């Protein structure tokens, strides 16, 4: 599975509805980032501030949803996306549910662990009946435990695993439904992960166009690769057939 980092972010503004629509249309898995606003709403944006990806400035956590929704989140990328809004997590999950032709994986990353955010995410995932498709990654163990308290079925992830010893130690971790690795494990190691009913995802040189890494990951039969170049990776593999 190819996991489109922040949606199809080289073709539409990252972490916006058009970027996710494009990824869904191509049956790619989706990675997205979540923050909580000052008034307790969940929005999908990568940075702690709105400075880079909107025409505004300020920290997401210091702004209300209404303030954030007044910003233009598309003009910076291209004029044809002018007027685009920062989406709420509710909107993104609804979009995925409505547009997917078959279930796509959804990787949720909280950049800041704010009060009550785990339960709010779980309730939205339940609302849109996406529990089997979502895993949360990047959070510390205490946050994963809060996810499990909110719903034990929500998949949590141990990150970031850089070597075989760390991988082996993690296999017995009850919070490791998924493994997020920064190296390419052997086919035997991946088989062992799968026998335990877990999933394993590669996060290595995400921003770089690396066919060598894509090929090695495919050979090891990892569950997926997080990349900024999902289309190029797919075309590369198709050209080898």
């Amino acid at each position: 599975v190819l996991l489109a980092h922040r949606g199809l972010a080289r073709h539409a503004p990252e972490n916006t509805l058009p970027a996710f629509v494009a990824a869904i249309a191509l049956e790619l898995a989706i990675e997205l980032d979540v923050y909580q606003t000052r008034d307790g709403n969940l929005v999908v944006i990568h940075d702690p501030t709105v400075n880079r990806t909107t025409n505004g400035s300020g920290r997401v956590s210091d702004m209300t949803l209404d303030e954030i929704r007044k910003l233009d989140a598309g003009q910076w990328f291209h004029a044809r996306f002018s007027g685009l809004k920062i989406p709420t997590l509710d909107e993104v999950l609804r979009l995925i549910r409505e547009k997917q032709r078959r279930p796509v994986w959804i990787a949720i990353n909280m950049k800041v662990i704010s009060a009550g955010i785990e339960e709010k995410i779980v309730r939205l995932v339940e609302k849109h009946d996406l529990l089997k498709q979502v895993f949360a990654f990047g959070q510390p163990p205490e946050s994963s435990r809060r996810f499990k308290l909110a719903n034990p079925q929500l998949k949590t992830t141990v990150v970031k695993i850089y070597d075989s010893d760390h991988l082996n130690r993690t296999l017995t971790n009850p919070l490791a439904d998924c493994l997020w690795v920064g190296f390419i494990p052997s086919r035997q190691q991946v088989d062992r992960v799968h026998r335990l009913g877990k999933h394993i995802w590669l996060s290595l040189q995400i921003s770089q166009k690396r066919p060598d890494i894509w090929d090695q990951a495919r050979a090891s039969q990892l569950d997926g690769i997080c990349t900024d170049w999902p289309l190029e990776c797919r075309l590369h593999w198709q050209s080898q057939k």
Side-chain angles (χ1 to χ4, degrees):
V1 176
L2 292 169
L3 186 61
H5 188 226
R6 309 180 201 170
L8 207 64
R10 295 183 58 254
H11 302 269
E14 64 179 60
N15 277 325
T16 64
L17 297 183
F20 297 132
V21 165
I24 295 164
L26 294 162
E27 297 190 340
L28 298 168
I30 290 167
E31 186 269 352
L32 58 86
D33 307 284
V34 177
Y35 283 86
Q36 190 163 204
T37 63
R38 192 179 82 216
D39 52 349
N41 290 284
L42 301 185
V43 292
V44 177
I45 184 172
H46 178 270
D47 298 357
T49 73
V50 299
N51 302 20
R52 180 176 64 86
T53 57
T54 78
N55 63 339
S57 63
R59 296 186 66 82
V60 176
S61 58
D62 292 337
M63 303 172 77
T64 65
L65 180 61
D66 283 346
E67 289 168 340
I68 284 173
R69 297 288 271 184
K70 289 175 182 173
L71 303 176
D72 187 314
Q75 178 71 36
W76 68 274
F77 187 88
H78 193 279
R80 67 175 173 271
F81 293 106
S82 181
L84 203 58
K85 306 300 180 188
I86 292 173
T88 63
L89 181 61
D90 189 27
E91 288 174 327
V92 172
L93 295 180
R94 182 185 305 116
L95 177 87
I96 294 170
R97 182 67 185 172
E98 290 175 352
K99 297 289 186 182
Q100 64 181 5
R101 293 190 294 275
R102 55 185 176 187
V104 299
W105 281 102
I106 307 156
I108 293 179
N109 186 11
M110 300 174 296
K111 297 297 185 187
V112 174
I113 312 299
S114 52
I117 191 170
E118 298 92 351
E119 181 157 358
K120 287 181 180 179
I121 289 172
V122 168
R123 298 301 164 238
L124 286 175
V125 171
E126 291 172 336
K127 173 184 173 182
H128 296 288
D129 195 22
L130 293 168
L131 203 55
K132 292 180 180 178
Q133 297 170 229
V134 169
F135 65 92
F137 77 97
Q139 68 277 357
E142 59 269 22
S143 178
S144 290
R145 282 190 276 272
R146 286 192 290 272
F147 271 120
K148 292 295 188 185
L149 283 172
N151 191 321
Q153 294 180 61
L154 194 287
K155 296 178 184 67
T156 55
T157 306
V158 171
V159 298
K160 192 168 182 183
I161 300 167
Y162 284 106
D163 57 56
S164 297
D165 288 343
H166 189 189
L167 177 65
N168 291 335
R169 291 196 307 274
T170 304
L171 292 177
T172 56
N173 188 328
L175 299 175
D177 303 308
C178 301
L179 309 176
W180 191 259
V181 298
F183 78 108
I184 297 172
S186 69
R187 175 73 178 273
Q188 291 73 26
Q189 288 172 312
V190 173
D191 286 346
R192 186 179 175 201
V193 170
H194 290 159
R195 283 197 299 272
L196 292 168
K198 300 175 185 290
H199 297 89
I200 183 165
W201 297 83
L202 178 68
S203 172
L204 182 63
Q205 307 289 357
I206 288 175
S207 64
Q208 295 184 25
K209 195 173 177 181
R210 291 291 300 272
D212 57 330
I213 289 174
W214 302 339
D215 289 345
Q216 292 169 41
R218 193 185 196 195
S220 73
Q221 299 217 325
L222 289 153
D223 290 285
I225 305 168
C226 186
T227 177
D228 286 339
W229 301 83
L231 294 187
E232 290 75 11
C233 180
R234 181 179 284 175
L235 288 169
H236 167 69
W237 287 340
Q238 288 175 346
S239 71
Q240 293 179 324
K241 289 183 179 178

